[in-house]
Every structure is written in C-alpha cells, then in structure tokens.
Amino acid sequence: MDSNLRREIILDNYQDPMNRGLIEDDSYLKVNTNSESCIDNLDFMMKIEDGIVKDIRFDGEACAISTSATSIMIRRILGKKVSEVKKILEEYQHMLHEEEYDEEVLGELVVYDEISKQPNRLNCALLPSEAIDKMLQELK
C-alpha cells in the first residue's frame, strides 16, 4: 500500500473515529483494556444479537495507532457474524505478527501490515483486537 494512502487512512480514523462514545445499555458486552507501553486506556462495548455484531463502541484515551485501529476494526466487523469476526481477528493477528494472512478478509486493516517494523507500536495496534476477543470469550 502506498505510504501516503496508509497515512491518510490512519489519520482520518484517528481524527474522526467511528462509534466513539459509550452508551448506557446493560445488553452490551463490556471490557476495559490498556497498554503497558503507551497512554492507551479504552473502554469497549459490543452488542451481539442472533450471532451478529449489531453495535460496537469505544471511548477513552489512546494514541493515534490505537484509536485508528479501533475505528477501522469497528467498521470491518459491524454487521458480521461472530464466526466472521473471529476470522478477521485471527487474520489481523497473523498480519501483525508477520505470518501469512488473507488480505481480503482484513480490508483497510492492512494499513497496519508494516507495524511490526515499530515494535513499540505493535501493542497499540493489537489493543482493539484483544478487547473484541475478550468480549467474544464472554459469549461462551
């Protein structure tokens, strides 16, 4: 991916993230997650109905990478079946850890395909996927 396009996608999702702001609703799964290597401290909430992600929201303090990764991840998983979300999370993890991955499954999340070149930023990019995974584990 062109570095200017990569930068533009990350910046756009940092400055105007999708679904930022929490709501009062006990039907949502909720989790807090933070990073040991950065300022990131985010609260996530996700509503799943009939095995489909109907809504996901977040709020808190986070760096540009965490905020933009969260926004892009939300856009990618909204309306998806839980099984599809798990596949997206799996492929995202593979990509971030420099393993083989399916680019089509990830969509715009591929903007982080070179994040491993900045090891201190890896935790920032992983934060949203870890939070979503924790919430999905609560479904069991």
Side-chain angles (χ1 to χ4, degrees):
M1 176 179 283
D2 173 66
S3 63
N4 288 329
L5 178 59
R6 178 187 318 273
R7 203 172 5 264
E8 182 180 328
I9 291 170
I10 291 171
L11 191 58
D12 285 349
N13 280 278
Y14 171 64
Q15 291 175 335
D16 189 21
M18 182 170 190
N19 288 8
R20 184 168 209 148
L22 304 177
I23 60 173
E24 291 291 325
D25 189 330
D26 291 335
S27 68
Y28 281 68
L29 300 166
K30 297 173 184 152
V31 70
N32 172 270
T33 187
N34 55 55
S35 173
E36 296 173 10
S37 64
C38 196
I39 63 167
D40 305 333
N41 185 359
L42 294 174
D43 292 309
F44 287 82
M45 57 191 306
M46 180 168 58
K47 184 173 190 128
I48 297 175
E49 291 177 347
D50 301 321
I52 295 174
V53 176
K54 295 293 184 175
D55 193 20
I56 182 164
R57 311 195 63 77
F58 79 103
D59 208 357
E61 186 175 7
C63 69
I65 297 298
S66 284
T67 301
S68 62
T70 299
S71 179
I72 296 168
M73 181 70 72
I74 288 172
R75 186 173 290 108
R76 190 69 185 147
I77 69 170
L78 269 175
K80 299 274 195 286
K81 295 177 187 175
V82 169
S83 60
E84 293 173 298
V85 172
K86 288 179 180 180
K87 179 67 174 166
I88 291 167
L89 295 178
E90 180 182 327
E91 294 299 321
Y92 187 67
Q93 294 273 342
H94 288 317
M95 179 188 70
L96 293 181
H97 293 294
E98 299 182 281
E99 300 167 1
E100 276 190 46
Y101 65 94
D102 186 342
E103 192 173 313
E104 285 185 35
V105 170
L106 296 178
E108 276 192 341
L109 287 166
V110 298
V111 300
Y112 303 103
D113 67 346
E114 295 182 0
I115 203 79
S116 60
K117 293 179 180 177
Q118 302 173 40
N120 59 324
R121 306 304 280 168
L122 183 60
N123 288 334
C124 304
L126 282 168
L127 204 66
S129 64
E130 291 171 349
I132 293 164
D133 187 51
K134 284 180 189 176
M135 289 184 287
L136 292 177
Q137 289 179 26
E138 290 181 31
L139 293 175
K140 296 178 182 179

